[in-house]
Amino acid sequence: MSDINRVAVIGCGTIGMSWASLFLAHGLEVQAYDPAPGREAPLRDFIAVATTSIGRPVPADTTALRWCMELEDAVGNVEFVQENGPDAEDAKRTLLAAIDRLTPAHSVIATSTSSQIRSAITADCRHPERHIVAHPFNPPHLVPLVEILGGADWAVERSTALYRRLGRHPIVMRREMRGHIANRLTSALWREALFILQEGGASVADIDDAVRYGPGLRWAIMGPYLTYHLAGGPGGIRHFLDHLLPGHVKRWAELGTPVLDADLEAKIVQGVLEALGDRSIADCMRARDAMLVALASLSSAADDAQDDLRGDA
Amino acid sequence: MSDINRVAVIGCGTIGMSWASLFLAHGLEVQAYDPAPGREAPLRDFIAVATTSIGRPVPADTTALRWCMELEDAVGNVEFVQENGPDAEDAKRTLLAAIDRLTPAHSVIATSTSSQIRSAITADCRHPERHIVAHPFNPPHLVPLVEILGGADWAVERSTALYRRLGRHPIVMRREMRGHIANRLTSALWREALFILQEGGASVADIDDAVRYGPGLRWAIMGPYLTYHLAGGPGGIRHFLDHLLPGHVKRWAELGTPVLDADLEAKIVQGVLEALGDRSIADCMRARDAMLVALASLSSAADDAQDDLRGDA
């Protein structure tokens, strides 16, 4: 059980606004800071929409959100900092050192980064052990995954307890790999998606549909390992390794790497616009968010059913 | 609109049984054949469960399913053959030549293969132009994707019309690439999932969860191209290419290929069994199938809402 009740959200771009919404929707107090001017109003607008779509709307006049004009004011009295500054090594390194200096030594500092190395960005911190990587998937208030890399065990434990309380699904990496897990996997898939387009195998719309109406449906339910366990029939993963893995290995030899040139970029942009038709980006985001909310409730109902089943056994 | 009312299902393993269920659930007559002994009873059992889970149960005493003792009897009078024999070049080549000889020349012969080359397996056919690849995703009665490779235009058109009538989502490849689209993408992701395990980045259960609670949720809603269009913010895919693609390209250089040895295989098997806990494969399949049915209805409701939205515009 997490005992954290007040958090600082540092950096209020897309990811920071989403984190702030999630914290507020679950009754935490949020102290928000962003050095860029004019960020308070967009943050309040975002929160109104996001917390409504989560189903836990926060009144606009709530005192639970406090906008801070100085970094020190935001992080000086909190037990947890969610940092979402620009994802560049120098910027992170400077910002984390400042936060580290201004925050009580027992508090946890969680950084959202898709590609920085933890030891590098905390190099100037006096208490690097309480800094963790906590990488969410966009949008964090709707997608449960948070990839964690410690830090001290106590920092990892306090943060995973907090994220679980917010309905997130934290996973703890055993060692650092650039891009963590999910982004490495998406990069591998994306490279091949570009290669197929460049080779003329299918259109952008058809490649997208091949994912959405095929493996994507299954990956919303279970990851690749369990999927292949089921693909092995009654013999499970052992049968899969003996009989179906060789097909994958052969296929690996034919996968490719695209050549990123102007031709391919034009194909990508044109293909996306054709696939989009007359839908706007805002329409697509609204549709995606509504589906994510529905999927989350479907998925948690399935988990409950599974737990009941285990209870019966 | 497809005018096909009677189909032959040749090869009644996992994929054939699933296709037969889908055809019957949508009111088609099915003539089934499998050279292996004792396949009729499992087929009828499978159909009872599968059509119930689709929500269109077929009575056990239906005359719509006719079990055939000879290949000729099954394919001699149909306009559409769904072939699901063993996925090996020699076996397919022999079987397709026999079907080709026994089936009226105007009928379509659709082959389920994940890795054979169409021109090679139809090499002994007199009418190769009416042979198409129609590769489904397991289980075909619940996962909508069907990857099509022609054949003559008329054969592609007749089969896509038939599959659409059955609620499937056919996509037509522009040229042959081994593994088609979806399996190439899954192979690319799977290679990296094995590499992360081998490098000790995370456990089997955590890698699976990273997919399920992160990108998998989004891929059930939209493919990678549209996902990255939204990730580009108001600037869409153009902004993504300029600002976020370089991060992917850098990451590609750090993705790996696992070394398939006994150590890794043991890690995979042990990891899957740990992730599975006390659930049986049959329990997992039931849970997966229930989720696929729920997802399909969610997805089609979202498509309808989207169409309404466009109608309003």
Side-chain angles (χ1 to χ4, degrees):
Chain A
M1 181 61 194
S2 151
D3 52 353
I4 294 167
N5 295 311
R6 190 167 51 213
V7 301
V9 171
I10 306 306
C12 296
T14 311
I15 298 296
M17 293 193 296
S18 179
W19 275 126
S21 305
L22 184 72
F23 293 138
L24 288 166
H26 287 268
L28 276 73
E29 291 174 42
V30 171
Q31 300 181 163
Y33 169 78
D34 194 302
R39 290 300 309 157
E40 183 179 358
L43 171 63
R44 291 193 184 270
D45 291 345
F46 186 97
I47 289 166
V49 175
T51 57
T52 304
S53 77
I54 304 175
R56 294 162 165 266
V58 174
D61 61 353
T62 179
T63 57
L65 173 66
R66 193 162 72 80
W67 182 261
C68 301
M69 300 303 291
E70 301 294 336
L71 180 61
E72 180 167 10
D73 187 28
V75 303
N77 61 346
V78 295
E79 296 153 312
F80 196 87
V81 178
Q82 188 81 50
E83 180 273 309
N84 322 280
D87 200 9
E89 187 173 321
D90 288 352
K92 286 275 186 212
R93 187 168 167 162
T94 307
L95 179 56
L96 288 179
I99 295 173
D100 186 72
R101 201 170 52 242
L102 297 167
T103 308
H106 66 275
S107 61
V108 175
I109 300 165
T111 286
S112 174
T113 174
S114 22
S115 52
Q116 305 308 317
I117 297 291
R118 192 185 151 278
S119 54
I121 57 179
T122 60
D124 300 331
C125 295
R126 277 182 293 185
H127 301 288
E129 73 285 354
R130 43 81 174 261
H131 286 260
I132 64 162
V133 165
H135 177 249
F137 247 61
N138 189 40
H141 66 288
L142 296 177
V143 178
L145 180 64
V146 187
E147 298 177 302
I148 307 275
L149 183 74
D153 287 349
W154 66 266
V156 170
E157 280 157 23
R158 286 197 80 189
S159 53
T160 52
L162 174 64
Y163 293 126
R164 282 209 190 90
R165 191 175 134 201
L166 307 175
R168 302 303 88 185
H169 193 95
I171 64 168
V172 180
M173 291 197 66
R174 293 176 178 180
R175 74 177 194 77
E176 173 128 328
M177 295 180 80
R178 198 184 293 271
H180 321 309
I181 301 168
N183 270 342
R184 294 179 72 92
L185 298 174
T186 57
S187 270
L189 181 137
W190 174 237
R191 172 168 61 180
E192 185 58 25
L194 292 174
F195 182 72
I196 292 171
L197 180 69
Q198 186 157 58
E199 293 287 300
S203 69
V204 162
D206 283 345
I207 296 171
D208 265 6
D209 281 353
V211 173
R212 177 182 166 195
Y213 293 100
L217 280 183
R218 297 195 311 205
W219 286 329
I221 300 171
M222 51 181 66
Y225 284 98
L226 195 48
T227 296
Y228 288 141
H229 187 47
L230 299 197
I237 190 72
R238 186 70 259 173
H239 183 89
F240 176 87
L241 293 179
D242 294 339
H243 296 272
L244 298 168
L245 186 56
H248 278 277
V249 176
K250 231 196 256 173
R251 217 176 283 139
W252 292 343
E254 301 199 15
L255 302 181
T257 299
V259 178
L260 291 167
D261 54 19
D263 260 14
L264 180 60
E265 294 211 354
K267 254 184 160 176
I268 296 168
V269 172
Q270 197 189 333
V272 166
L273 295 180
E274 278 171 18
L276 204 61
D278 51 8
R279 291 173 293 171
S280 69
I281 292 187
D283 280 348
C284 281
M285 281 195 188
R286 266 193 297 274
R288 177 198 65 185
D289 289 357
M291 279 290 280
L292 284 172
V293 170
L295 277 178
S297 89
L298 202 61
S299 175
S300 99
D303 285 347
D304 290 348
Q306 198 67 50
D307 288 344
D308 287 352
L309 205 70
R310 292 198 218 188
D312 290 349
Chain B
M1 179 61 194
S2 150
D3 53 351
I4 294 166
N5 295 310
R6 190 167 50 211
V7 301
V9 171
I10 305 305
C12 296
T14 311
I15 298 296
M17 293 193 296
S18 178
W19 274 126
S21 304
L22 184 72
F23 294 137
L24 288 165
H26 287 267
L28 276 73
E29 291 173 42
V30 171
Q31 301 182 163
Y33 170 77
D34 194 303
R39 292 298 310 158
E40 183 179 356
L43 171 63
R44 292 196 183 268
D45 291 346
F46 186 97
I47 289 165
V49 174
T51 56
T52 304
S53 76
I54 303 174
R56 296 163 163 265
V58 174
D61 61 352
T62 180
T63 58
L65 172 67
R66 192 163 71 79
W67 183 260
C68 301
M69 301 302 290
E70 301 292 336
L71 179 61
E72 178 166 10
D73 186 28
V75 303
N77 61 345
V78 295
E79 294 153 311
F80 195 87
V81 178
Q82 189 80 49
E83 180 274 309
N84 323 278
D87 199 8
E89 187 173 320
D90 287 353
K92 286 275 187 214
R93 186 168 168 162
T94 307
L95 179 56
L96 288 179
I99 295 172
D100 186 70
R101 200 171 52 243
L102 297 167
T103 308
H106 66 276
S107 61
V108 175
I109 300 166
T111 286
S112 173
T113 174
S114 23
S115 52
Q116 304 309 316
I117 298 291
R118 192 185 150 278
S119 55
I121 57 179
T122 60
D124 299 331
C125 295
R126 278 181 292 184
H127 302 287
E129 73 285 353
R130 44 81 174 260
H131 286 259
I132 63 161
V133 165
H135 177 248
F137 247 63
N138 189 41
H141 66 287
L142 296 177
V143 179
L145 180 65
V146 187
E147 298 177 302
I148 308 274
L149 182 75
D153 287 350
W154 66 266
V156 169
E157 281 156 24
R158 287 198 79 188
S159 52
T160 53
L162 174 65
Y163 292 126
R164 282 209 189 89
R165 189 175 136 203
L166 306 175
R168 301 304 88 184
H169 192 94
I171 64 169
V172 180
M173 290 198 66
R174 292 176 177 179
R175 75 177 193 77
E176 172 129 330
M177 296 180 80
R178 198 184 293 272
H180 321 308
I181 301 169
N183 270 342
R184 293 179 72 92
L185 298 174
T186 56
S187 270
L189 181 137
W190 174 236
R191 173 168 60 180
E192 184 60 24
L194 292 175
F195 182 71
I196 292 171
L197 180 68
Q198 187 158 60
E199 294 286 300
S203 69
V204 162
D206 284 346
I207 296 170
D208 265 5
D209 281 353
V211 173
R212 178 183 166 192
Y213 292 100
L217 281 182
R218 298 195 312 206
W219 288 328
I221 300 171
M222 51 182 66
Y225 284 98
L226 194 48
T227 295
Y228 288 142
H229 187 47
L230 298 197
I237 190 74
R238 185 71 259 172
H239 182 89
F240 175 88
L241 293 179
D242 294 340
H243 297 272
L244 298 168
L245 186 57
H248 277 278
V249 175
K250 229 194 258 172
R251 216 176 284 139
W252 292 345
E254 302 200 15
L255 302 181
T257 299
V259 179
L260 292 167
D261 53 19
D263 260 13
L264 179 59
E265 295 211 352
K267 252 183 161 176
I268 296 168
V269 172
Q270 197 189 332
V272 166
L273 295 180
E274 278 170 18
L276 203 61
D278 52 7
R279 292 174 292 173
S280 70
I281 292 186
D283 281 348
C284 282
M285 282 194 187
R286 266 192 297 274
R288 178 197 66 186
D289 289 357
M291 279 290 281
L292 284 171
V293 170
L295 278 177
S297 90
L298 203 61
S299 176
S300 101
D303 285 347
D304 290 349
Q306 198 68 47
D307 287 345
D308 288 351
L309 205 71
R310 292 196 217 186
D312 291 348

